[in-house]
Amino acid sequence: MALIVQKYGGTSVGSVERIQAVAEKVKTFKEQGHDIVVVVSAMSGETNRLIGLANQISEMPTPREMDVLVSTGEQVTIALLSMALNKLGVDARSYTGPQVRIVTDDAYMKARIQEIDTKNMRADLDAGRVVVVAGFQGVDGSGNITTLGRGGSDTTGVALAAALKADECQIYTDVDGVYTTDPRVVEKARRMDKITFEEMLEMASLGSKVLQIRSVEFAGKYKVPLRVLHSFKEGAGTLITIEDTDAVEQPIISGIAFNRDEAKLTVQGVPDIPGVASKILGPVSAANIEVDMIVQNVAADGNTDFTFTVHRNDYKKTLNILQDVAKQLGAREVKGANDIAKVSMVGVGMRSHAGVASKMFECLANENINIQIISTSEIKISVVISEKYMELAVRALHTAFGLDADDKDGE
Ligand code: ASP
Ligand code: MG
């Protein structure tokens, strides 16, 4: 018998029939003797619909009222799910965020959870009830309704699991787990049984959008085992957990992420003197443009090239900024490209294995793919390549590193 927090996403509660199916599922867990706290999202499309209504009235609705509005989506699903459970003879009770007392700061639309009162939930669990909590919402110190940012129900689930010291937080969604890479690009992508919080953060921030990133950070911080599962298909899903340092054999690479949203810019022939990097990037960050990879070359003849990447949407803006900077610095030229893609291999196994980078580069060379930028961290190697070779690169690497579904060590 365990205490389990189960979070069901919008598609899983997208219709009355699905809500009834979720209720059946929750009932099964309850009958196995577990204590269950359920967190639900709004019905799929509902949050967008509400935002649409607000935008018909104002381009910039008051944030406080926005949160009063969008939090209603989850209030509908907690009530309907509790009714469906009651109908099945399962004692259940719904709670909005403020009713639980999920206390947040007052940053409307992107509030952060500060404290959770577990008293009401505990009392219901002790009385044998299923507790159904609205995801995505809380209350600030002055009693105002707040929301946690899009996709925030994942974070509610993890935060409740941490506060209740649950045995596991299960995220039920419309995919059956986290894959080694996007199955739409690599047919042989494989569901991972396990992945570490760190790896998941690298994968998530690179485009594997299964979970809200904040929920993974939260789970890692409080060491809440997190499992991603399909709502209506059998299967163990993917467990996101702490690193198993005792594992006999770690896979070297856990997954391959990619992203087409970047652009690269190069300031050529800048004087190789102190302060240049800050003179180039200062105005960029002052314009609120986020920089991802940064590379500066070894200087030849006292001049160097300085390259970095930004989000593709910021490409033009950055180019304009750099034209001015280049003039001030006496740089030769500014160049850029927005037809690039970033491919990253992620794996905690890299820490203890040499040669991962060279194997990656060899694999890309065999496919005749030119590498434009390389960057590495302890558990990640990223390369920037031409966008048109991205899928080829991901497929080739997936095979080269033994990640394909039909490989013997796979499943
Ligand atoms: N309903 C909210 C959204 O659509 C929260 C969530 O689904 O996690 O962003
Ligand atoms: Mg979601």
Side-chain angles (χ1 to χ4, degrees):
M1 179 173 142
L3 170 54
I4 306 171
V5 175
Q6 301 188 327
K7 181 259 170 176
Y8 292 90
T11 51
S12 312
V13 293
S15 66
V16 166
E17 291 71 27
R18 291 204 173 167
I19 289 173
Q20 287 167 326
V22 167
E24 292 279 359
K25 204 173 158 111
V26 172
K27 182 183 181 190
T28 312
F29 279 95
K30 185 71 190 135
E31 283 172 351
Q32 288 166 2
H34 301 303
D35 282 339
I36 308 289
V37 174
V38 183
V39 174
V40 283
S41 290
M43 295 168 90
S44 58
E46 178 63 7
T47 308
N48 286 341
R49 187 186 74 87
L50 293 167
I51 293 170
L53 290 178
N55 288 336
Q56 284 177 40
I57 291 177
S58 163
E59 265 173 44
M60 289 242 285
T62 326
R64 181 184 183 278
E65 304 316 324
M66 207 56 191
D67 279 354
V68 173
L69 177 70
V70 294
S71 62
T72 61
E74 274 74 10
Q75 187 165 339
V76 170
T77 46
I78 53 168
L80 292 176
L81 179 59
S82 301
M83 288 174 195
L85 284 163
N86 291 337
K87 183 83 191 296
L88 294 175
V90 179
D91 198 0
R93 240 183 184 178
S94 67
Y95 289 90
T96 64
Q99 284 177 312
V100 172
R101 275 197 70 73
I102 297 177
V103 182
T104 70
D105 60 19
D106 58 6
Y108 297 116
M109 297 162 79
K110 50 173 191 296
R112 286 186 173 260
I113 297 175
Q114 290 174 333
E115 211 184 308
I116 295 178
D117 186 347
T118 56
K119 200 170 66 249
N120 291 334
M121 293 186 289
R122 283 266 177 231
D124 278 326
L125 292 173
D126 289 346
R129 294 191 188 104
V130 169
V131 176
V132 182
V133 178
F136 180 51
Q137 54 180 260
V139 63
D140 74 5
S142 320
N144 300 298
I145 296 174
T146 55
T147 64
L148 309 178
R150 296 307 304 269
S153 299
D154 292 341
T155 300
T156 304
V158 172
L160 289 181
L164 290 162
K165 302 195 171 49
D167 296 284
E168 194 167 284
C169 178
Q170 302 176 338
I171 306 281
Y172 288 93
T173 178
D174 50 5
V175 293
D176 65 353
V178 182
Y179 277 68
T180 48
T181 192
D182 187 341
R184 282 168 304 189
V185 169
V186 181
E187 218 180 280
K188 289 179 173 174
R190 173 155 49 88
R191 181 183 56 79
M192 293 184 256
D193 291 329
K194 240 184 187 182
I195 178 174
T196 68
F197 294 117
E198 268 181 298
E199 289 170 324
M200 187 63 200
L201 285 174
E202 294 286 8
M203 296 285 284
S205 60
L206 293 162
S208 317
K209 296 181 184 77
V210 193
L211 285 170
Q212 197 200 32
I213 293 179
R214 258 175 73 188
S215 73
V216 181
E217 282 166 5
F218 212 106
K221 188 165 166 202
Y222 294 97
K223 304 203 166 45
V224 178
L226 194 58
R227 195 182 288 277
V228 175
L229 309 111
H230 197 287
S231 302
F232 304 117
K233 282 188 207 152
E234 287 300 311
T238 299
L239 179 66
I240 306 160
T241 184
I242 51 172
E243 194 172 341
D244 182 1
T245 43
D246 292 339
V248 184
E249 208 174 342
Q250 294 271 15
I252 301 173
I253 298 302
S254 296
I256 302 174
F258 52 82
N259 151 15
R260 307 171 203 259
D261 296 337
E262 294 202 18
K264 87 172 171 171
L265 297 114
T266 301
V267 189
Q268 288 186 326
V270 281
D272 184 30
I273 50 170
V276 166
S278 101
K279 282 197 182 105
I280 294 174
L281 293 181
V284 175
S285 75
N288 249 327
I289 295 168
E290 231 176 279
V291 172
D292 181 20
M293 301 163 109
I294 305 171
V295 183
Q296 188 195 312
N297 228 327
V298 174
D301 316 324
N303 283 324
T304 181
D305 291 351
F306 192 94
T307 301
F308 60 95
T309 63
V310 297
H311 194 282
R312 207 173 273 190
N313 294 343
D314 292 325
Y315 177 60
K316 286 266 154 61
K317 203 166 145 194
T318 313
L319 207 53
N320 287 336
I321 293 173
L322 289 187
Q323 305 289 6
D324 290 343
V325 172
K327 252 179 246 148
Q328 286 163 29
L329 287 176
R332 195 166 64 240
E333 200 179 351
V334 178
K335 280 195 165 160
N338 60 3
D339 55 351
I340 58 158
K342 182 163 88 170
V343 175
S344 305
M345 298 202 312
V346 177
V348 289
M350 267 182 221
R351 288 199 188 115
S352 48
H353 282 84
V356 178
S358 60
K359 183 171 172 183
M360 180 185 194
F361 304 154
E362 189 189 317
C363 172
L364 295 173
N366 289 341
E367 301 296 335
N368 236 332
I369 298 171
N370 187 39
I371 302 171
Q372 302 178 18
I373 306 178
I374 301 165
S375 89
T376 63
S377 78
E378 217 192 346
I379 66 162
K380 183 180 78 176
I381 305 174
S382 304
V383 295
V384 165
I385 59 175
S386 162
E387 185 183 1
K388 63 176 185 268
Y389 299 126
M390 190 195 78
E391 300 201 356
L392 173 64
V394 175
R395 267 187 231 114
L397 291 168
H398 201 268
T399 303
F401 282 87
L403 295 175
D404 286 354
D406 58 1
D407 278 4
K408 244 196 19 254
D409 56 348
E411 274 177 277

